[in-house]
Amino acid sequence: MFVRRIAIVGPRRSILKHSQQWHIRARQMSSTSGHAQQTKPPPSILQSITEELDRNGPRFDVNADQVTVLSGPKEFYKTLKDKLRSAKRRVYFATLYVGKTEKELMDCIEEALNLNPGLKVSILTDALRGTRESPETSCASLLAHLAAKFPRQVEIRLYHTPNLTGTRKRLIPKRINEGWGLQHMKLYGIDDEVILSGANLSEDYFTNRQDRYHVFSCPRVTEYFAEIHNIMCNASFLMTPDTVPQGYSLSWPKTNACISPLEDPKGYIHATKSMFTSLIAPPKNTKPSTTNTSIYPMLIIPYALNTELPTITRLLAHNFPNGSTYLFTAGYFNPHKSVTTSLLSAAAAGIQGTVVTASPWANGFYGSKGVSGLLPPAYTLLSRRFLKAAEQQAPDAVQLREWRLGTVGRPHGWTYHAKGLWINMQGPAQREKAGTASPQAEHRSEEATITVIGSSNYTVRSYFLDTEVGAVITTTDPSLRRQLQREQDGLLEHSRTVELKDLQGGERKVGLGVRVAMWIVTAVGGSL
């Protein structure tokens, strides 16, 4: 009974009400932030943003050269392998799944383990997705083989959502049960470096699926995300090699910090909230930043904690200088209502907006059989609704673009999985050149870029059903800003603007079956 309640009531009316309140409060905060003591000069826009971020969670000041932006899947895979081969102390990976045929990746890990007997490897994946093909070869059986070869050095953990238990779990087909909640964090930590990404660990993410990848070469940042990883492992099943047909068994260790989600979903949710609360709390005494680049981690634990949604809505609520722009992207375009409202409100307030999503021919579910094959047209329907809202609330201020490079399933065809937000603030010189300068505000603005990187797709499912991790990066460093601009340009390169007329009729027609399927998934507690 409990799971039914949290699945339907939680992600819908009560939580949406709170998220709308976040948006309203954010607008109020940004509109009153300038009424400080008149004897002091007003804070810069970036300063007011960072002060608000400081109230939302921890901050790490880093040198700009400690952040590296990778451009594509091949560079991501090469970087991952190179760092694995030189690993000395620890490897911690949190991912949705590891591809069941990723022998080369496993060989890299084995090579590092053989060279360094003191090296510890911890891998966290999802129980539903990782065991979907069992008893055939699966992500779980691949990792079980690694654990069997290095029992003292390797630990494999599988997270299980508290939202899919009992009768519902038995009835929902394995192919679509991930719609009820997953371990979706993407953390790839090696010694004192960590990669934040939206990419999983399989062949397409290493070859022809576009995502984002930021490398943080900072011990303090790496240790912080290691703590998130370790706590989540202590709230997950332990996988051990076994002689049973699937090659592994799952158990709930007595040393875990909470009760199993399959035994007591309500107790599990309460426990995980208390486990993470102190880690995400903002510091009591925040000192001014000591560098020109700062990192603000964000975390989502289903039904327990969500620091991402209020962070994004508050970010977009600020009054940015004339000539500022934002780019928002999500491969699976179904933004939470508060995110959509914030994007359109920001555009209506004067910041030019661009939204990029996958075209149906770049959607990972294009051509799939069964219910999952309905997902590309479902996202077309959602894109159509977004454009209608944009026409009403922010006409000519937001453009929607679809990314496509070939066709999924055909030679040289790519899929699109990138997600993120960039806010580009122009300085006085750039605004004067563009003819948008405002002399009254020159002393309060500066060139800066703010970006959001992580695993979240910014959907209801991301915010209330999946575990997610990410970060906000703020920087005024010219070199890092150029990296972030190249990242945006690279994503825009294979995209084109679409209008409402492009999403209606012909190949873009959305049938009644798609609408019915979307309604059914929502009604039984799932989400796209």
Side-chain angles (χ1 to χ4, degrees):
M1 292 295 294
F2 171 75
V3 175
R4 178 179 178 82
R5 182 179 69 82
I6 64 174
I8 300 176
V9 177
R12 297 294 176 261
R13 296 182 180 177
S14 63
I15 298 180
L16 286 175
K17 180 180 178 181
H18 289 304
S19 63
Q20 290 165 352
Q21 291 173 349
W22 284 335
H23 178 73
I24 294 171
R25 287 200 300 270
R27 280 283 170 195
Q28 292 172 341
M29 291 175 68
S30 64
S31 64
T32 60
S33 61
H35 298 288
Q37 296 180 4
Q38 295 184 1
T39 57
K40 295 182 179 180
S44 70
I45 295 173
L46 183 61
Q47 182 183 345
S48 67
I49 291 172
T50 55
E51 287 176 353
E52 191 166 290
L53 289 170
D54 284 337
R55 293 191 289 269
N56 198 48
R59 181 191 76 209
F60 295 91
D61 296 330
V62 302
N63 297 321
D65 60 6
Q66 291 178 294
V67 182
T68 304
V69 180
L70 307 181
S71 62
K74 292 182 180 178
E75 187 180 12
F76 168 56
Y77 191 31
K78 182 181 185 303
T79 301
L80 200 62
K81 290 187 294 182
D82 289 346
K83 294 187 183 300
L84 277 172
R85 291 189 176 105
S86 61
K88 297 294 188 294
R89 296 184 295 106
R90 66 177 175 186
V91 171
Y92 66 88
F93 285 176
T95 188
L96 174 57
Y97 64 94
V98 179
K100 61 185 179 181
T101 60
E102 289 308 314
K103 185 179 183 303
E104 184 180 18
L105 180 63
M106 292 298 104
D107 287 344
C108 285
I109 297 176
E110 288 188 20
E111 180 182 338
L113 288 165
N114 281 319
L115 289 173
N116 300 284
L119 177 64
K120 301 296 183 182
V121 174
S122 174
I123 299 178
L124 171 67
T125 69
D126 182 71
L128 298 176
R129 187 64 177 271
T131 63
R132 191 165 67 186
E133 296 94 343
S134 297
E136 304 299 325
T137 302
S138 65
C139 163
S141 63
L142 178 76
L143 296 175
H145 180 72
L146 180 68
K149 294 184 69 173
F150 301 92
R152 295 186 178 182
Q153 294 175 264
V154 175
E155 181 180 82
I156 310 299
R157 293 284 186 148
L158 277 72
Y159 166 90
H160 195 293
T161 175
N163 189 34
L164 191 65
T165 62
T167 302
R168 181 190 290 176
K169 182 177 180 180
R170 290 192 295 270
L171 294 178
I172 300 296
K174 286 186 176 183
R175 176 60 181 164
I176 63 170
N177 63 10
E178 61 186 71
W180 279 256
L182 293 169
Q183 191 311 104
H184 202 250
M185 295 190 295
K186 315 295 166 60
L187 292 172
Y188 305 116
I190 301 170
D191 290 337
D192 289 330
E193 296 182 297
V194 62
I195 302 174
L196 261 64
S197 179
N200 295 302
L201 300 177
S202 64
E203 182 180 6
D204 50 352
Y205 288 96
F206 300 152
T207 56
N208 59 359
R209 174 167 285 197
Q210 182 64 52
D211 216 299
R212 297 178 68 205
Y213 335 81
H214 287 196
V215 184
F216 299 95
S217 302
C218 175
R220 292 182 301 115
V221 172
T222 305
E223 184 60 34
Y224 179 85
F225 286 112
E227 288 188 51
I228 291 178
H229 173 89
N230 293 338
I231 293 174
M232 200 73 259
C233 285
N234 280 322
S236 300
F237 285 91
L238 174 67
M239 188 195 72
T240 53
D242 204 326
T243 56
V244 294
Q246 65 263 31
Y248 62 87
S249 60
L250 301 180
S251 63
W252 193 261
K254 293 181 179 180
T255 55
N256 273 10
C258 58
I259 195 167
S260 165
L262 300 183
E263 183 177 342
D264 182 0
K266 185 177 181 179
Y268 177 85
I269 291 168
H270 178 76
T272 52
K273 181 176 182 178
S274 64
M275 291 162 66
F276 282 103
T277 297
S278 62
L279 189 62
I280 65 170
K284 294 182 180 179
N285 299 310
T286 304
K287 298 180 180 180
S289 175
T290 57
T291 66
N292 61 10
T293 302
S294 297
I295 299 169
Y296 299 84
M298 300 180 297
L299 182 67
I300 302 172
I301 304 299
Y303 305 108
L305 300 165
N306 185 342
T307 64
E308 181 180 285
L309 182 56
T311 297
I312 289 179
T313 56
R314 289 168 183 169
L315 268 179
L316 288 167
H318 281 270
N319 295 316
F320 292 95
N322 292 335
S324 297
T325 63
Y326 75 70
L327 172 63
F328 175 83
T329 188
Y332 305 126
F333 192 64
N334 183 22
H336 184 279
K337 184 177 181 180
S338 290
V339 175
T340 298
T341 299
S342 296
L343 291 170
L344 296 179
S345 296
I351 178 170
Q352 187 67 38
T354 300
V355 175
V356 179
T357 188
S359 84
W361 297 274
N363 187 296
F365 295 99
Y366 177 77
S368 295
K369 298 179 180 179
V371 177
S372 58
L374 300 176
L375 288 172
Y379 291 120
T380 290
L381 178 62
L382 294 167
S383 294
R384 191 186 303 170
R385 291 174 180 173
F386 176 81
L387 280 178
K388 288 181 179 179
E391 284 188 351
Q392 296 176 352
Q393 301 176 42
D396 302 321
V398 182
Q399 64 169 322
L400 178 66
R401 301 176 68 91
E402 287 188 341
W403 190 98
R404 181 180 182 182
L405 183 56
T407 299
V408 178
R410 297 181 183 176
H412 311 297
W414 283 51
T415 53
Y416 187 76
H417 199 251
K419 64 271 293 186
L421 172 68
W422 299 255
I423 299 174
N424 307 295
M425 296 166 53
Q426 289 188 340
Q430 283 66 35
R431 290 199 301 280
E432 184 176 352
K433 183 178 180 180
T436 59
S438 173
Q440 294 83 1
E442 293 307 289
H443 67 287
R444 295 189 290 111
S445 61
E446 57 191 312
E447 290 183 61
T449 300
I450 302 168
T451 190
V452 176
I453 175 78
S455 60
S456 171
N457 286 307
Y458 313 112
T459 63
V460 168
R461 173 177 150 184
S462 292
Y463 289 144
F464 305 115
L465 298 178
D466 294 347
T467 65
E468 308 280 7
V469 70
V472 176
I473 304 171
T474 66
T475 186
T476 58
D477 180 80
S479 179
L480 181 53
R481 293 189 72 227
R482 284 193 293 270
Q483 285 192 67
L484 293 170
Q485 186 59 56
R486 285 195 295 269
E487 183 181 41
Q488 295 173 74
D489 293 342
L491 297 179
L492 290 169
E493 181 181 358
H494 299 291
S495 68
R496 70 176 185 91
T497 303
V498 292
E499 301 176 356
L500 265 176
K501 62 182 181 180
D502 301 315
L503 304 179
Q504 298 172 332
E507 292 182 289
R508 306 306 294 270
K509 184 178 180 179
V510 179
L512 178 62
V514 173
R515 301 170 189 265
V516 171
M518 292 172 66
W519 178 84
I520 292 174
V521 169
T522 302
V524 296
S527 182
L528 295 180

